[in-house]
Amino acid sequence: MTAQKLPRDWTSHAWERAIGNIRYTDDDVPRGMTYAVLVRATIAHGQITSVERDLAREVPGVLGVFTFEDLMTVARDGYHGTGYRDQPMICDGIVRHYGEPVIVVVATNQRIAEYAAGLVSVNYAQLPVVLGDREALANPEALHRDVEPSADFIDLKGLKPLANNPNIYVRSILRTGDFDEVAKSAPHVFEHQFSTASASAAPLETVSSYAVPNRDGSVEMLTQTQMPSYVRVQLARMFGMTESRIRVRHAPLGGGFGFKIYARTEPIVMACALLVGRPVGIKFSMEEQFYLPHRRGTTTTISSAVDEDGKILARRCFIIWNGGAYADVGPRMVKKGGNVAAGPYEIPVVDIESVGVYSNRIPGGAIRGFGIPQIVWAYETHGDMIADSLGIDPVTFRRRNLMKRNAVHHTGTPLGPCDPRLVFERLIEELQSRPLVEPDDPELKAGRGLAIALKAVMGPTTSTVKIMLNPDGSATVHCGTVEMGQGSNIAMAQMVADELNLSLDEVKVVSGDTDSVPWDMGTAGSRSTNHMHKAIAQAAEDLRAQLRSLSAAMDTESQIGDDVDPFKVKGGVIEYLRAGFGPMGATLTGVGAFTPDYIPPDSNGQSERITEFWMCAATSVDVIVDPLTGVVRLDQLLTISDVGKAINPEIVRTQLSGASIMMASISLSEEIKYDEDGQVLNPGLALYRIFGFEDSPNTVYADMVRDEGDEVPRGVGESGTFGVAPAIASAIHDAVGVWMTDLPIKPENVLKAIEEATDE
Amino acid sequence: MPVVDVGSVHEAVEALNADVDGRRLIGGGTGLMLMARSGFFVPETLVSLRRADDTDLLDIRLIGGVLRIGALCTLRDLELDPAVRRHVPTLAGVLHRVSSVRTRNVATIAGCLAHGDPKMDLPTYLMALGAELVVASTAGRRKIALSDFFVGYYETVLLSTEVIVAVDVPTIQPGQFTEYRKFTGTLVEDWPLVSLCLNLDEVEGAIDRAAVTVGALGSKVKRLPQLEAWLRGQGKPEITTASNLKELREVVESEIEAKDDNLASGDYKRKIFHVELVRAVRKWAATQPTEALR
Ligand SMILES: Cc1cc2nc3c(=O)[nH]c(=O)nc-3n(C[C@H](O)[C@H](O)[C@H](O)COP(=O)(O)OP(=O)(O)OC[C@H]3O[C@@H](n4cnc5c(N)ncnc54)[C@H](O)[C@@H]3O)c2cc1C
């Protein structure tokens, strides 16, 4: 058991965070920093007609008041984006969402910059604002013209907007048969529609980044990012520099959740630093942070043809992802979400269309779960509604339909060791010993619901690792995984300690600096532990081979062959190093890289290898509903997940339960609100309501299962989010007999549904 | 924003009367800072009594049937004060749900009332109890009943040159029933979406005097005379008969108005008011007359 090797309780690391002992990015701001403040658009769509900035320029301490054109004087390409290069560093003349940065003011300190920013005035010629999912789909006016695919990712190859509707920037199809054909002769056909609202990850450590230009023309970037390697690539491309001349550093993050991915504020501070020739930083307030990408809202129409016993014969889904002004991670999310939109069920015929559309909302990004919670919300609630109509209980309904061990997914990719039934049965077993509460107040009603879901890992991307074996046999690991409270540094150290037969004290993990740490795509999409595990195994193998050849210099007795693991030979490593390099030994460096195999899907979405692995999680929720007010409170929240091998079981449990609580908040409370002009009504935590301690369930529990003999760690960070929303909806139905179909589930809507049901 | 520390109420009044624009009293600053940060209202200079010598400003004293609370007492002081717990026993429970301990540690009773925000808890509660403000100005001191104090959103009858020095809260007498209901909706801890307070005097199982207030629904916290009139004379447990509750509903429908906002529709808020009112009434109906008298 790896966990037992921990030298100190892993919670010491959590404790350091809790008491604020961790040094975050803003604790070590480089000297001589000047500050950039953004002037933001006060409209959601329109052309900039004029900018008046003389007053701002005259303020003492102001170093520059820049437009997009100004920034372009130091950039080679002013656009970035992971699917399309559609995102300008700041507004390129056309405002596409409310709060879009239009001007950057740089001054010797933040206050001066803020003051001067208030003196800039921008005039606009307004254009029509499109916000709703269906309106965006039907919008005849293209929000972008001639967007260029980024070609960064193999699974996004050939991306292009639809010719007849360029607001649809991606359309993904998964089809295994003709739904209508099956539906024609099916005993029952059900169709429902579900929606989800935009939400923000709102990490407590608000986004900041600092660019320091060096005299030799190179640049150091200190930034909060989940993707340091990718940020460097983008900056190098945008500013026409070699990657060797850009150093990206980061501290542990105070929350990431998919919010701090890809290029965000880095290009802006880089351009400003090059323009003013001094260090330039940006530090967002919590309010400003709400203009960075959101979890995107969706509208899903889902239909199922079902036999008398509730066996699903065919399923059709149409999903609109409201991507806001820039595509960001949209193309990938739309594809990946579409792929699993029929759920972990054995369904002979599936027909899924998933589309991403531009609108004048804040750009859609990713939050923990990468679109999967939106999808699960639809198919699990739909499933429960079907079961309810047919008079089948939700457990039986799932037992009849769940994919079996070793099944092949609708995409054509086998599930591998991921077994939905194992997960589901473990949840049911857990529930047996946990009866539903009886509320002390007879007016209140309790109910229980459950849900199960499947997700593929992030698209095919590479992790590399460098292990330096020190002369005394200890190891220093250079690994690009970003520590953000999820405990990755400990997990990486544990995996290396396991391979190299060391204690945890003998392993040090170095991260946070692209000058010394090799490429890693990023800490996102539940990919890191799995991919690094494989890269680390390879690096260890590399070291073993080197040690074996060093042993060749020793007497025959001490030499080791391929059948011997040098790390298992007592005192061996030091001896081999000395044999090779003399009495002081020297450093050996082992490297490893891992990129999953990938086969692009055909035109029906079929591929034998669309993902490196699958993740499965089941959730159950107990709620207490006040039928007179519609208020829903959570009593119990359980998560069971198949995570493969848990490197550090305690951290896995807290990742699962943390994710589930976060999702409970999104399910019941969080919503970015827009007025009809596209203005965001609730930026900041005073207005955007996130769960507090009192809102968390009375009982939170998480546990793991795995297939016997499965020794490979899979994803952990997102699984806890998948089924929370539909489990809540199902529990509400159990309590008060109404189905909720829009997220978040607001008390007012619950009450309305109850009243409508009583009227009938 | 510079802060001018004054040594006494007298100096505060003088400072506010000085011919300088944009001066504003500050208590704990929790309300003012929220406004300043959003750019809604940014005072030029703050006048603070935190260094003042007048000990009354921090005192809590029983004078006859009234608890006189110094203007600078923090909400946390009140929550923990033994005299408050004894004489106004329901106050601690109300305060416990106002914001967080961190905010209560600095927010003052005067700031809490002078802020004039209808979405706050204490005004609704204290108005039902019949609280009065003691206010100082160059003209001397005057008393303002809380029920006459609020004018509209962030607007009160207080002049910009006046200083609240104390709040008089009548103690709760035997036979009196007070119930404050705070409805937050989605989150347990939040500002009230709907709030109300019932303060009843009971004589021989019937309501002799009723004060009912509503918060959060309109532009100001206010009393509800129609409801008060209806409640007077109602006995227990008959008040909860179906026909009585139907009447009660009609009164609510005629007296309560609420507008739609970002958080909920006006219609929903009115329904909630009704539900919470009935809950409060039922609670009274369930109390034993003797129990209330103890
Ligand atoms: C995060 C947060 C959550 C909150 N949640 C709640 C909640 O759930 N329920 C609730 O009821 N409230 C809530 N509040 C509001 C809080 O109760 C008020 O901000 C607080 O009571 C104001 O008191 P203060 O002393 O800080 O006032 P200040 O901000 O100092 O002043 C407020 C106003 O009163 C005036 N003023 C201050 N002292 C005097 C005086 N002696 N004489 C005349 N005028 C004076 C000031 O000029 C200003 O206009 C919350 C506040 C915050 C920051």
Side-chain angles (χ1 to χ4, degrees), chain A residues 50 120 160 200 216 227 240 256 265 298 317 319 392 405 419 434 488 536 557 561 610 673 733:
Chain A
S50 67
V120 175
K160 61 170 187 288
S200 174
D216 64 2
M227 297 189 168
T265 50
T298 50
C317 311
I319 310 142
I392 304 172
R405 190 188 168 88
D419 180 356
R434 297 169 178 269
S488 60
I536 285 168
E557 238 163 77
I610 206 145
K673 292 180 182 142
H733 180 265

Side-chain angles (χ1 to χ4, degrees), chain A residues 298-412:
Chain A
T298 50
T299 300
T300 301
T301 311
I302 173 165
S303 323
S304 297
V306 182
D307 77 8
E308 301 289 1
D309 300 327
K311 184 96 189 71
I312 309 166
L313 306 171
R315 179 165 277 181
R316 179 161 65 196
C317 311
F318 178 64
I319 310 142
I320 309 169
W321 303 79
N322 192 333
Y326 300 104
D328 201 79
V329 298
R332 195 175 240 169
M333 189 180 289
V334 168
K335 284 170 180 252
K336 293 196 57 190
N339 282 345
V340 293
Y345 300 108
E346 232 164 37
I347 308 175
V349 169
V350 303
D351 181 353
I352 297 161
E353 181 178 356
S354 178
V355 296
V357 292
Y358 285 122
S359 73
N360 296 113
R361 292 194 184 197
I362 309 293
I367 304 185
R368 215 171 191 175
F370 203 77
I372 300 307
Q374 288 99 309
I375 293 299
V376 183
W377 165 236
Y379 70 67
E380 282 299 81
T381 313
H382 173 65
D384 278 337
M385 290 168 84
I386 294 173
D388 180 39
S389 301
L390 299 178
I392 304 172
D393 75 87
V395 174
T396 310
F397 178 75
R398 285 177 177 79
R399 281 188 177 138
R400 280 188 194 151
N401 287 292
L402 271 177
M403 285 177 184
K404 298 193 180 73
R405 190 188 168 88
N406 296 325
V408 174
H409 183 258
H410 313 133
T411 50

